[in-house]
């Protein structure tokens, strides 16, 4: 639609690349690589205003979000068919190609991992923050404020949280809270 339900607020975002692919009359097809949170509809309107001709967007197609590419996308019909095959033929092949485990999705997105002790899992599943004493090991260089996945030693996602300190301080901080739990994924009682 020409109009968006989202308010067009002034915000500063980085445009890494804007490539004009095709011009046909007054229509311009372009590819933009931009920072998360960029309103492309607003970008188009701003370009039109700067050129003194006005502009609006007629179509938006996301080719990439984070590390996920358009080739990873699927249609609702393909998902429906895969579910049908799974339910009726006990055939998991199609659905496993479409639905990836959340652990894989987080890895693809570059979310860093904190492996936690079995004894800490139930506490985290109850929403408790992770203390330094509950950490077994870290995977990746974690910075304060980073989004991290808290994983069991079997590489199962327990929860997602925000790092309250960097990797080095997490190791030194015993005792102390090092990750604030934001979203619990694992069912409570899995490691009871």
């Amino acid at each position: 639609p020409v109009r968006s339900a989202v308010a067009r607020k002034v915000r500063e975002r980085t445009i890494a690349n804007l490539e004009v692919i095709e011009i046909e009359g007054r229509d311009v097809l372009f590819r933009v690589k931009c920072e998360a949170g960029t309103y492309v509809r607003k970008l188009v309107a701003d370009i039109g205003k700067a050129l003194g001709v006005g502009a609006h967007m007629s179509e938006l197609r996301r080719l990439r979000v984070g590390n996920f590419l358009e080739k990873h996308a699927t249609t609702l019909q393909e998902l429906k068919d895969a579910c049908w095959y799974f339910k009726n033929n006990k055939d998991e092949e199609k659905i496993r190609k479409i639905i990836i485990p959340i652990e894989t999705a987080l890895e693809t997105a570059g979310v860093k991992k904190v492996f936690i002790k079995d004894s800490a899992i139930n506490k985290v599943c109850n929403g408790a923050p992770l203390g330094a004493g509950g950490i077994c090991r870290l995977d990746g260089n974690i910075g304060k404020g980073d989004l991290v996945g808290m994983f069991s030693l079997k590489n199962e996602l327990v929860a997602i949280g925000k790092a309250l300190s960097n990797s080095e301080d997490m190791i030194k901080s015993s005792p102390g809270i090092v990750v604030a739990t934001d979203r619990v994924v694992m069912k409570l009682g899995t490691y009871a």
Side-chain angles (χ1 to χ4, degrees):
V2 174
R3 298 266 178 227
S4 171
V6 178
R8 293 183 182 186
K9 298 177 185 172
V10 175
R11 44 177 25 193
E12 193 172 303
R13 291 292 184 260
T14 301
I15 305 300
N17 187 29
L18 197 146
E19 171 191 1
V20 175
I21 297 169
E22 179 181 322
I23 299 174
E24 186 177 303
R26 294 174 42 170
D27 295 331
V28 179
L29 176 64
F30 67 92
R31 180 178 296 128
V32 64
K33 184 176 181 182
C34 55
E35 182 180 0
T38 302
Y39 293 139
V40 178
R41 183 183 316 275
K42 176 79 169 107
L43 172 65
V44 169
D46 289 349
I47 291 170
K49 186 176 180 181
L51 294 173
V53 295
H56 70 271
M57 185 173 70
S58 62
E59 184 179 337
L60 174 66
R61 183 171 159 186
R62 294 187 191 277
L63 302 177
R64 178 182 185 149
V65 177
N67 291 332
F68 293 97
L69 304 174
E70 185 179 38
K71 69 180 181 181
H72 296 125
T74 189
T75 66
L76 288 176
Q77 185 63 51
E78 290 167 333
L79 178 59
K80 182 180 176 184
D81 291 347
C83 288
W84 185 91
Y85 277 102
F86 176 68
K87 287 179 184 176
N88 295 294
N89 298 340
K90 305 300 180 225
D91 182 358
E92 295 181 1
E93 183 182 350
K94 291 179 188 282
I95 204 160
R96 287 194 178 274
K97 286 181 179 176
I98 293 173
I99 300 176
I100 60 173
I102 192 164
E103 291 84 357
T104 305
L106 288 176
E107 191 172 313
T108 302
V111 174
K112 301 190 177 97
K113 296 181 179 184
V114 176
F115 289 93
I116 64 177
K117 295 177 181 175
D118 290 354
S119 59
I121 291 176
N122 232 22
K123 293 173 189 169
V124 171
C125 285
N126 262 319
L130 178 65
I135 295 176
C136 287
R137 72 178 194 272
L138 305 174
D139 184 23
N141 188 20
I142 298 169
K144 185 177 181 178
D146 283 355
L147 181 70
V148 296
M150 291 177 269
F151 287 80
S152 73
L153 295 174
K154 295 178 185 174
N155 205 30
E156 304 159 309
L157 180 64
V158 177
I160 298 169
K162 182 180 179 181
L164 300 177
S165 56
N166 62 33
S167 299
E168 189 176 312
D169 291 340
M170 282 186 187
I171 302 300
K172 295 178 189 174
S173 293
S174 192
I177 305 300
V178 293
V179 179
T181 302
D182 184 40
R183 187 159 319 245
V184 176
V185 177
M186 185 175 279
K187 184 178 176 185
L188 182 64
T190 303
Y191 276 76

